[in-house]
Amino acid sequence: MGQYNLNRIFKPRQVAVVGASEKAGTIGNALMRNLVDGGFAGTVLPVNPKYQTLHGQACFESVSALETGVDLAVIATPIHGVVDIVGECVEKKVGGAVIISAGGKEVGEQGRQIEEKIRRIAHGGGLRIVGPNCMGIIRPGVNLNASFASEMPAAGNLAFVSQSGAICTAILDLALKERIGFSHFVSIGSMLDVDFGDMIDYLGNDSSAKSILLYIESLTNFRKFMSAARSVSRIKPIIVLKSGRSPAGARAAASHTGAMAGEDAVYDAAFKRAGIVRVDTIEELFDCAELMAKQPRPRGPRLAILTNGGGPGVMATDTLARYGQEPAPLDDETLQAFDAFLPEFWSRGNPIDILGDASAERFGRALAICFNSKNLDGVLVILAPQALTDPLSVAETLAAAIQERRFPVFACWMGGKRIATAVDVLNAAGIPTYDTPERAVRAFLYMVEYSRNLEMLLEVPPKIAGDMEFDQEKARRLIIGASDQGFMSESDSNEILRAYGLPMIRTQIAATEAQAARIAGEMGYPVVMKLHSPDITHKTDAGGVRLDLRGDADVGQAYRQIVSSARQYKPDARIEGVTLQPYFSNPDYEILLGAKRDSNFGPVILFGMGGIYTEVLKDRSLGFPPMNRLLARRLMQETKAYSLLQGYRNRPAADMQRLEEMIIRLSQLLIDFPDIAELDMNPVLVKDGKPVAVDARILVSPIAVPSSLHLVIGPYPEEDESHMVSVDGRRIFVRPVKPEDAPLFSALFKTLSPTTIYYRFFGTLKELNSEMLARFTQIDYDREIALVAIDEESETDNMLGVARIIGDPDGRTGEFAVLVGDAWQGKGIGSNLLEKCLSIAEKQGFESVHGIVLHENRNMLALGKKLGFDIKREPDSGDNELVIQFGGNRPSQDSPTL
C-alpha cells in the first residue's frame, strides 16, 4: 500500500501531534512532553483548535493549517474523528501517521467500519499508517519518543515490535533496569496498514538494527510476512513470542486484536521455515533480548559452565540435557591448564567447579583458559554467594576480562541483596545477567538455534535424480468432477495420486459379493477388503476393514459383515460395495503423509507415525509447499518416526530418497490444485525399504484463488521457462534459478576471467562461498527474478549465464545484474536473459529497474543502451547508473524464442 519507504515515519524532521494537550494525564500531553523535553532535534507541531500555544510551540487549528509535506502526524484523538484527520493528512501530503486512538476493529463491527474508511483514504493517498490502537514509536538514537511511554530507553542495536502496548511498557521497564538499548521500539497495534512484514523488511535494511524481536498475537498478510522473514533472517536474528498457543489464548488474542489466530502448530512450522526462533514466554523473550543486545552470537552449542558451586552447575547441565545438549567436553590441553593452578579437588570436567573458596583471581584465570580453548562457543559464569567469595570483586574481574573480546559470556549471579551491586557492574559492562542457571542456559540455546537455522538456510539441497513427470490433466479432470459434498471416492483419490507419481497399492472396486470373489481370485490371495462409501470416512470405526482374507469363503463372509456393520454405523450412508487390495503382511513401518488447507497459511503438509494410532501418538511434523529434497528430509527428521525409519533391530531402513520424492510429489499436487482442502495417505506401508500408500482420501472444496496465490511461499515459476538459439546456433534452455543450482554456479564461476569477475562483483573474488551460493540460488520468487541459460546440447547441465532483478520490498523498483561466461559472451545470451527479466518485471508491476555499471564495462553499457536504459554518469565514482522506466515501448531483441 502506498510507498514502501517508512523513513518519514521513523526518521522524521517534523512531527505533528494531532490532539496535543497541556492537560496532565492525557495522551496528547504525554506525547508533547516526550517529544519536546526528550531532546528530539526536529520540529514539533502541536495541532488542537483549543490552544494557541502548547509547550512553548505555536499550535495549529488543524492538519490543514500545516505546511505541505510534514513527515509524520501522531494522532491521539477519539477514533470517530480520525477519518477526517487522515483525509487532511493526505491532502497536505503528510509522509506517514501513527494513530494512537483505540476503538477500531477490536471493539466490533462499528470500529471495523471506521478502520476500513481510514484504510481507503490512506491507500488512495499513499499515506503509511502505524496503528491504530498502539502506544506509538520510539527511536532512542535520534531522541524520537512519539509515544506515551514515560521514559526513553537507551540507544542500542535491538529492534522491538509488539502488537500489545502493555507488553511494550513491561519490556521498557525491564530494559531500563537491565540497561538494554534499542534502535527501534514500535507498538504496531491493530496493523491497519503497516504490519509485521513491513517492519521486518524495513528493519532488515536499517543498519542500526542488528537483531529483531517480535511480540505477535496475529498476522495479516501471511505471504508478505514469510517473504520478509525468509529474506531478513539470513542477515539478522528474528526472535518471536507468539501468544495464543492454547485455544483459550487464541480466542483472547482474537478479541484483543480483532483478527483470527490459526492453529499454533502451523505457526511453529512457518517460523521454522522462515528461520525465525520462537520463544515461549515473556521471560524468555527478554532473556534473548538481553543476550542478543550485549553479546556476539555463539557459533555453536559448545558451552562451558564455570561455577563456584556444584549444585548450580548440575542445574545448568540438566537444562542443557532437557534440550538435547550437554556441556562441552574439555580437551587435554584445557584440562592441563586448569590442573596447573586449581585445587586438587576441582571437578576435572565441565561443569568447571572451581570450588566454594574461589577468589576473583581464580575466576579470572579460569575464564582466560576458556577464552583460549578452540572447543568452546560460550561461557556461562555462575556465582553462588559464599563466605570466601566476594560477588563484587568477581564481577569486576569478569567485566575487565571481556573487554575487547568477541566471545559470548553471560552470568548467573544467584542471590538477592548481597549480589545487587555486582549485578549492576555486570550490566554496565554489557554482560547479560540471569537469576537462575535455567534461564541463562535457555537464552544461550535460543541463540544457538538461530545459528543452526542460519546454517540450514545456507544448505544446498541435493538434486532429484531424473525429471519428475505429472499427469496434471488427468488429475484436473477428476478434481473438477468431484462432489463438494464430502470426500472423493477412494478409487478417484488413488487415481489422482497415481497421476502425480505417488506409489499406490493396486485397488479394485467390487459392487457385489460375487464380483468381490472374482476380483480377489484374479488378484491372488491373501487380500484386504475395505468398505466403499462416500459417506463414511473412517472405515475402521464402521467395521469396514477386513485383513488377510485367504479364500472365496473368507471374501464372502467379509463382504456381508462389512455391509452390515456399515449400515448399523450409519443407516443413511451410501454403500457402493467394497474395494480389494493385495495384503501386505507384517510391514516394517506405517507412516502418515497428508495435507490440510489452513485458512491463513494455505496448504500444509503433514508427515508422521501412521496407522490406527496416528491420532493417539500425535507424532507429526508440518511443512509448506514448495518442497525440495532437503526440506522433505527435515520434515521427516522432526518426528520420532524418523529414527525408526533408519532401521530398527532386524527391520531394514526405509528408502529415504523415495520418501523424500513422495513428499515433493505431494507438494506439487498441492501447488497445482488450490481446491484440495484435505488429503490423507494413511497408512503408507514400508516393506523392505519401499513405501506404498494403501489408503487415501481427498476432500475437494473450491476456493476463488488461482494456483500459486493460495500458497504462503511463492513456488517455482514454470511459466517463465523458454528456449532460445544463440547467435552461433546453440540451443539454450532459459529457466528460473533453482535451489539445486549451486554446483552449476560454482562451475560457471571457474570459467570466468578476472576481468569478468571484476565487472560483475566490483572487485576480486577467488570463489563463491556457501553464503553467496545460497544467496544466488535460494530465490524468493515473490521478490526476485533470476533466470539462467542452460546449454541444451551438453550431455550434462552446463550453465552459460545468469541474469537477475532483485526487487525492493514494495515491488515497484528493482536492481539488475547480468553475468555470462567468457566463452559465451557476444552470442546474445546476456541480452536475451536480461530482456526476459525486464519483461517479467514489467508484467509484475515494477515501475523501474536500475543498476550500476563500471565505466570500463563497455559491452554492458552498449547492451543497456540497446535495451532502452537511460545512462547517467555518477559524478563521484565515475561509474554509470542505468535506469529503465516501464510504460513506454522498449526495443525488442532479435534472438529467436522457440
Side-chain angles (χ1 to χ4, degrees):
M1 168 183 160
Q3 60 180 0
Y4 161 73
N5 194 341
L6 299 178
N7 278 333
R8 293 182 71 187
I9 291 179
F10 293 104
K11 298 178 182 177
R13 291 164 298 178
Q14 315 94 18
V15 179
V17 180
V18 186
S21 174
E22 64 179 13
K23 186 177 179 182
T26 63
I27 292 176
N29 181 58
L31 287 166
M32 287 298 299
R33 184 183 65 249
N34 289 341
L35 286 165
V36 175
D37 299 341
F40 175 57
T43 305
V44 181
L45 307 168
V47 178
N48 194 327
K50 296 180 181 179
Y51 303 97
Q52 292 188 342
T53 61
L54 268 175
H55 290 263
Q57 312 290 317
C59 195
F60 294 84
E61 183 175 348
S62 66
V63 172
S64 297
L66 296 171
E67 292 185 6
T68 299
V70 169
D71 288 320
L72 175 63
V74 183
I75 303 172
T77 66
I79 191 78
H80 56 76
V82 173
V83 175
D84 292 337
I85 294 169
V86 168
E88 292 176 18
C89 288
V90 169
E91 290 175 6
K92 300 300 290 188
K93 293 182 169 52
V94 174
V98 175
I99 302 178
I100 307 291
S101 319
K105 61 184 179 183
E106 73 276 4
V107 302
E109 183 58 31
Q110 185 177 0
R112 193 180 300 276
Q113 290 177 8
I114 292 173
E115 282 197 18
E116 186 54 38
K117 291 178 183 177
I118 294 170
R119 180 184 288 106
R120 282 200 303 267
I121 295 169
H123 187 278
L127 178 75
R128 302 307 310 266
I129 292 175
V130 174
N133 189 24
C134 72
M135 189 184 78
I137 63 173
I138 303 175
R139 286 286 318 279
V142 294
N143 293 322
L144 172 67
N145 186 354
S147 78
F148 55 84
S150 57
E151 294 187 71
M152 172 91 78
N157 58 21
L158 197 64
F160 179 71
V161 184
S162 171
Q163 233 170 329
S164 165
I167 298 295
C168 281
T169 56
I171 292 290
L172 268 179
D173 195 48
L174 287 167
L176 291 167
K177 175 187 173 186
E178 298 291 336
R179 302 189 186 185
I180 295 176
F182 293 93
S183 62
H184 303 73
F185 202 93
V186 182
S187 171
I188 203 169
S190 297
M191 301 188 296
L192 179 148
D193 170 29
V194 175
D195 59 17
F196 283 108
D198 291 316
M199 289 306 308
I200 291 171
D201 267 325
Y202 180 77
L203 295 169
N205 287 288
D206 191 316
S207 60
S208 67
K210 305 299 183 188
S211 306
I212 302 170
L213 270 74
L214 309 175
Y215 172 76
I216 296 175
E217 292 180 353
S218 61
L219 293 174
T220 48
N221 191 323
F222 292 80
R223 185 154 165 164
K224 179 171 70 174
F225 172 84
M226 289 293 287
S227 177
R230 290 171 65 225
S231 173
V232 173
S233 65
R234 295 172 184 269
I235 56 174
K236 301 179 183 183
I238 304 175
I239 311 294
V240 166
L241 172 59
K242 165 68 175 69
S243 62
R245 276 194 181 273
S246 66
R251 287 193 299 272
S255 63
H256 184 195
T257 63
M260 293 302 294
E263 184 184 352
D264 194 68
V266 180
Y267 275 96
D268 259 342
F271 293 150
K272 285 178 184 175
R273 182 70 176 265
I276 292 172
V277 175
R278 182 178 187 177
V279 298
D280 294 325
T281 65
I282 291 178
E283 178 183 81
E284 291 176 358
L285 181 71
F286 188 78
D287 289 346
C288 285
E290 185 171 8
L291 190 54
M292 284 195 305
K294 294 179 177 180
Q295 292 288 295
R297 294 191 295 275
R299 294 180 305 239
R302 300 173 302 176
L303 179 66
I305 302 166
L306 181 61
T307 176
N308 69 335
V314 173
M315 293 164 65
T317 302
D318 285 346
T319 306
L320 282 171
R322 201 173 302 129
Y323 290 89
Q325 301 291 338
E326 59 182 22
L330 303 179
D331 58 63
D332 291 341
E333 185 180 346
T334 302
L335 286 169
Q336 290 171 12
F338 281 126
D339 281 336
F341 80 95
L342 286 178
E344 180 182 358
F345 300 109
W346 79 280
S347 61
R348 287 196 54 77
N350 190 9
I352 306 162
D353 183 357
I354 59 176
L355 306 180
D357 62 349
S359 63
E361 180 194 9
R362 192 184 296 173
F363 266 100
R365 291 182 67 179
L367 191 60
I369 292 171
C370 292
F371 286 155
N372 292 328
S373 173
K374 297 178 182 178
N375 299 315
L376 298 175
D377 299 313
V379 181
L380 167 59
V381 183
I382 304 176
L383 183 139
Q386 302 191 41
L388 298 178
T389 302
D390 177 21
L392 180 58
S393 297
V394 177
E396 291 170 344
T397 299
L398 183 55
I402 70 161
Q403 289 184 5
E404 300 181 3
R405 284 190 181 271
R406 296 291 296 168
F407 193 87
V409 178
F410 49 112
C412 171
W413 255 232
M414 301 180 72
K417 186 176 181 181
R418 273 194 65 194
I419 57 113
T421 305
V423 170
D424 287 340
V425 169
L426 294 171
N427 284 328
I431 300 173
T433 58
Y434 303 94
D435 54 13
T436 67
E438 294 91 341
R439 288 180 63 181
V441 169
R442 279 200 309 264
F444 173 78
L445 290 178
Y446 278 128
M447 292 300 92
V448 169
E449 183 181 339
Y450 170 71
S451 297
R452 284 186 168 171
N453 285 350
L454 198 57
E455 287 178 10
M456 289 193 292
L457 288 171
L458 298 178
E459 281 187 61
V460 176
K463 188 176 180 180
I464 298 168
D467 293 328
M468 285 192 173
E469 296 183 356
F470 310 101
D471 191 343
Q472 191 176 29
E473 189 53 41
K474 180 179 180 181
R476 178 178 286 109
R477 287 197 306 270
L478 289 165
I479 288 174
I480 289 174
S483 167
D484 58 2
Q485 300 301 311
F487 283 89
M488 298 179 67
S489 68
E490 183 179 1
S491 57
D492 284 351
S493 297
N494 289 352
E495 286 304 305
I496 289 172
L497 295 171
R498 281 197 187 93
Y500 271 69
L502 287 149
M504 308 300 299
I505 199 168
R506 178 187 172 191
T507 303
Q508 289 184 256
I509 301 172
T512 66
E513 181 179 335
Q515 193 176 8
R518 179 180 59 78
I519 291 172
E522 293 172 355
M523 188 174 286
Y525 292 105
V527 297
V528 174
M529 184 182 291
K530 300 178 185 177
L531 172 68
H532 184 47
S533 168
D535 301 321
I536 298 176
T537 302
H538 297 288
K539 304 177 188 69
T540 304
D541 294 349
V545 179
R546 293 292 185 274
L547 308 175
D548 197 14
L549 307 179
R550 295 182 171 272
D552 291 356
D554 288 350
V555 167
Q557 183 180 17
Y559 185 94
R560 293 188 294 274
Q561 288 175 342
I562 285 176
V563 171
S564 174
S565 294
R567 284 178 176 152
Q568 290 179 24
Y569 179 78
K570 191 172 184 180
D572 58 343
R574 289 169 291 172
I575 310 298
E576 297 179 354
V578 296
T579 60
L580 292 121
Q581 300 171 337
Y583 176 58
F584 263 63
S585 60
N586 301 316
D588 297 317
Y589 313 103
E590 293 188 28
I591 58 174
L592 158 72
L593 182 58
K596 176 184 177 183
R597 189 173 67 208
D598 183 81
S599 58
N600 297 321
F601 288 96
V604 182
I605 296 172
L606 296 88
F607 176 89
M609 194 78 77
I612 61 174
Y613 301 115
T614 296
E615 294 178 12
V616 177
L617 297 175
K618 295 183 179 178
D619 176 35
R620 64 173 187 174
S621 63
L622 307 180
F624 300 95
M627 281 276 172
N628 56 41
R629 282 188 58 190
L630 183 63
L631 293 170
R633 180 66 63 102
R634 286 189 199 145
L635 181 72
M636 294 188 287
Q637 286 173 340
E638 290 174 8
T639 65
K640 297 181 179 69
Y642 182 78
S643 297
L644 292 175
L645 293 171
Q646 304 308 298
Y648 180 70
R649 293 188 176 177
N650 61 342
R651 298 186 180 190
D655 187 331
M656 303 310 293
Q657 189 164 329
R658 290 195 184 194
L659 289 174
E660 291 166 8
E661 187 175 313
M662 286 185 71
I663 293 170
I664 295 168
R665 289 181 178 278
L666 172 60
S667 168
Q668 189 60 49
L669 177 64
L670 299 171
I671 290 170
D672 291 343
F673 296 102
D675 288 349
I676 294 177
E678 288 184 38
L679 186 154
D680 266 355
M681 286 178 276
N682 184 25
V684 174
L685 301 182
V686 181
K687 180 78 171 177
D688 298 326
K690 298 177 182 179
V692 60
V694 300
D695 202 357
R697 58 179 188 150
I698 296 176
L699 175 65
V700 173
S701 175
I703 57 172
V705 177
S707 176
S708 87
L709 293 182
H710 66 300
L711 303 168
V712 78
I713 298 172
Y716 174 83
E718 190 175 348
E719 65 275 11
D720 294 336
E721 294 179 347
S722 64
H723 298 266
M724 65 166 285
V725 177
S726 65
V727 171
D728 61 350
R730 186 179 297 271
R731 294 171 61 86
I732 293 171
F733 179 36
V734 176
R735 63 162 173 80
V737 170
K738 297 179 180 179
E740 298 87 352
D741 285 339
L744 301 183
F745 272 83
S746 293
L748 174 62
F749 185 84
K750 291 175 182 177
T751 71
L752 303 179
S753 67
T755 300
T756 298
I757 292 172
Y758 177 71
Y759 285 167
R760 170 60 182 87
F761 298 101
F762 292 20
T764 59
L765 192 65
K766 292 185 178 180
E767 64 178 2
L768 299 178
N769 61 32
S770 58
E771 290 186 14
M772 297 179 74
L773 286 171
R775 175 67 194 86
F776 292 152
T777 59
Q778 297 186 22
I779 302 300
D780 182 343
Y781 299 113
D782 279 348
R783 60 175 63 201
E784 186 168 350
I785 302 161
L787 300 177
V788 294
I790 304 296
D791 185 356
E792 288 193 272
E793 299 178 7
S794 175
E795 292 183 2
T796 59
D797 284 347
N798 185 20
M799 186 185 293
L800 310 182
V802 57
R804 70 183 66 235
I805 295 174
I806 301 174
D808 289 335
D810 64 351
R812 294 188 172 194
T813 60
E815 182 175 5
F816 77 86
V818 182
L819 177 67
V820 177
D822 289 69
W824 305 289
Q825 292 176 8
K827 303 182 187 305
I829 296 172
S831 61
N832 189 286
L833 287 171
L834 182 55
E835 188 186 22
K836 282 183 169 57
C837 285
L838 292 171
S839 177
I840 295 167
E842 187 172 18
K843 194 189 312 178
Q844 291 182 358
F846 279 61
E847 295 176 358
S848 66
V849 171
H850 64 276
I852 299 295
V853 177
L854 296 175
H855 181 62
E856 309 96 296
N857 194 351
R858 298 183 183 279
N859 289 340
M860 188 63 233
L861 292 172
L863 174 59
K865 185 176 181 180
K866 182 180 179 183
L867 292 177
F869 281 87
D870 292 327
I871 302 175
K872 184 175 69 173
R873 190 79 173 266
E874 292 286 308
D876 296 331
S877 65
D879 298 329
N880 296 277
E881 183 182 26
L882 277 62
V883 179
I884 189 168
Q885 304 286 341
F886 295 126
N889 294 318
R890 292 188 292 109
S892 62
Q893 299 308 296
D894 298 327
S895 298
T897 299
L898 302 181

